Structure formats: C-alpha cells, structure tokens
C-alpha cells in the first residue's frame, strides 16, 4: 500500500443527474490486479455544472449620468444606439438564447469629475446588470469604453416681437 496513490471506487452512475450530489461507494476489490479484501465505503462528492462558454455580442450600453450633471456623455467609438461588442461568459444554454442581449443590460457610470476636454476621452468601465434568473452570466474579463463629455446643446429660440 505504500506505493498506492489512489484507490478506485465502484463506477459512479451520473446518468440523468443535473445537479451535484454525494453518495457512498465501495472501493474496488482488486488493486493493481491483486485481490483486496475491503468492506469500507467512501463518501464521494460529484459536482455537476453546466458547460461554461464565452460569447461575443453586439449590445447597447446605457450611460448613467449623475444627478444634476450639466454635460452630455457620448460613446464616440460605438455605432448608432451606443452598440458595442462585449464578451459574456456563462452557461452555454443561457448564452445560446437568441434574445440574451435584450435580457441583460450593459451600462457605464459617468462621474461628476468627468468634465469636457476637447479631443480627450475618458475610459469608463462597463458593468452588466442581469436579472436573478440569469445571475450566472457575467462579463468575460474587464470591458471599458471611451466616453466623450461635451457641453449640453441648448436650443436657441428666436423670439420675435409683436407676435
């Protein structure tokens, strides 16, 4: 036994299982081809998890502005509708949902310290909001987008006298 690193158990049947489980199993009756007398059972824990994958999607990114912020924020490198490519990771069966991009929400937070600087962009970390039933979905790594902060455009009204 001094040269034995492990002792196999009887085969474990995981057919039809969809969640982790623990059970008692007998040790095998032969070791390295030699019969062994064993009455002992061992507790075996089997972790079952869905296959995890990474999927790159084109998704809109919402810009959260602080209260009382007097500037506008734009994503200059995004396509119309603030669409950017983001990589999500999670269980394959969840990410294969054709509507997954509508079920989660990517967003960035603008801070009051971000002031207009012509020609210079801020880097903003992208966050992901997921509903409770999709909590296993996360961003695959860190994502950031460029933010451009501009003065708000104001409508100039032409007032004419006597109308």
């Amino acid at each position: 036994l001094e040269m034995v690193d492990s002792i196999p158990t009887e085969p474990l049947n995981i057919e039809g299982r969809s969640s982790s489980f623990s059970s008692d199993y007998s040790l095998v009756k032969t070791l390295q081809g030699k019969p062994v007398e064993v009455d002992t059972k061992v507790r075996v824990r089997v972790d079952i998890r869905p296959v995890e994958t990474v999927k790159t999607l084109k998704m809109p990114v919402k810009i959260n502005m602080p209260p009382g912020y007097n500037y506008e924020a734009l994503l200059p490198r995004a396509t119309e509708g603030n669409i950017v490519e983001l990589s999500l990771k999670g269980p394959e069966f969840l990410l294969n949902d054709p509507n997954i991009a509508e079920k989660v929400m990517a967003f960035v937070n603008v801070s009051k310290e971000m002031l207009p600087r012509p020609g210079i962009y801020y880097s903003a970390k992208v966050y992901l909001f997921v509903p409770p039933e999709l909590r296993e979905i996360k961003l695959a790594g860190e994502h950031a987008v460029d933010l451009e902060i501009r003065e708000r455009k104001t409508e100039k009204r032409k007032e004419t006298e006597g109308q």
Side-chain angles (χ1 to χ4, degrees):
L1 286 177
E2 292 172 5
M3 295 171 42
V4 175
D5 290 331
S6 63
I7 300 174
T9 66
E10 63 183 298
L12 284 66
N13 183 3
I14 61 170
E15 189 175 330
R17 299 270 189 164
S18 60
S19 60
S20 301
F21 66 96
S22 294
S23 192
D24 294 332
Y25 292 91
S26 298
L27 298 175
V28 295
K29 306 289 187 213
T30 61
L31 190 58
Q32 296 177 343
K34 298 179 181 171
V36 178
E37 227 177 279
V38 179
D39 293 341
T40 306
K41 287 191 173 216
V42 292
R43 172 137 314 224
V44 176
R45 169 141 180 89
V46 178
D47 286 325
I48 297 178
R49 293 183 294 257
V51 174
E52 193 167 271
T53 191
V54 174
K55 189 170 189 175
T56 301
L57 302 169
K58 292 183 182 204
M59 297 179 57
V61 175
K62 181 180 182 313
I63 301 172
N64 290 330
M65 310 288 266
Y69 193 67
N70 294 322
Y71 306 104
E72 65 180 359
L74 306 157
L75 299 176
R77 301 195 198 295
T79 60
E80 190 175 330
N82 289 341
I83 305 294
V84 298
E85 278 194 2
L86 298 173
S87 294
L88 305 182
K89 71 176 179 179
E92 189 173 44
F93 75 96
L94 291 176
L95 290 177
N96 283 339
D97 179 340
N99 300 315
I100 193 64
E102 290 90 44
K103 294 180 178 179
V104 298
M105 182 183 69
F107 65 94
V108 294
N109 293 320
V110 173
S111 74
K112 285 190 174 190
E113 289 76 33
M114 293 179 176
L115 302 174
R117 301 184 318 186
I120 298 175
Y121 300 144
Y122 291 92
S123 180
K125 182 178 178 180
V126 176
Y127 297 92
L128 190 68
F129 171 80
V130 295
E133 65 274 13
L134 300 174
R135 69 183 171 277
E136 296 171 83
I137 294 178
K138 305 197 178 339
L139 284 170
E142 294 284 320
H143 287 271
V145 292
D146 287 337
L147 273 179
E148 181 180 2
I149 306 299
R150 293 185 184 169
E151 297 285 339
R152 283 194 191 273
K153 292 180 182 170
T154 57
E155 294 284 325
K156 292 188 178 183
R157 291 187 215 156
K158 291 184 179 179
E159 294 184 22
T160 56
E161 292 182 34
Q163 288 185 347

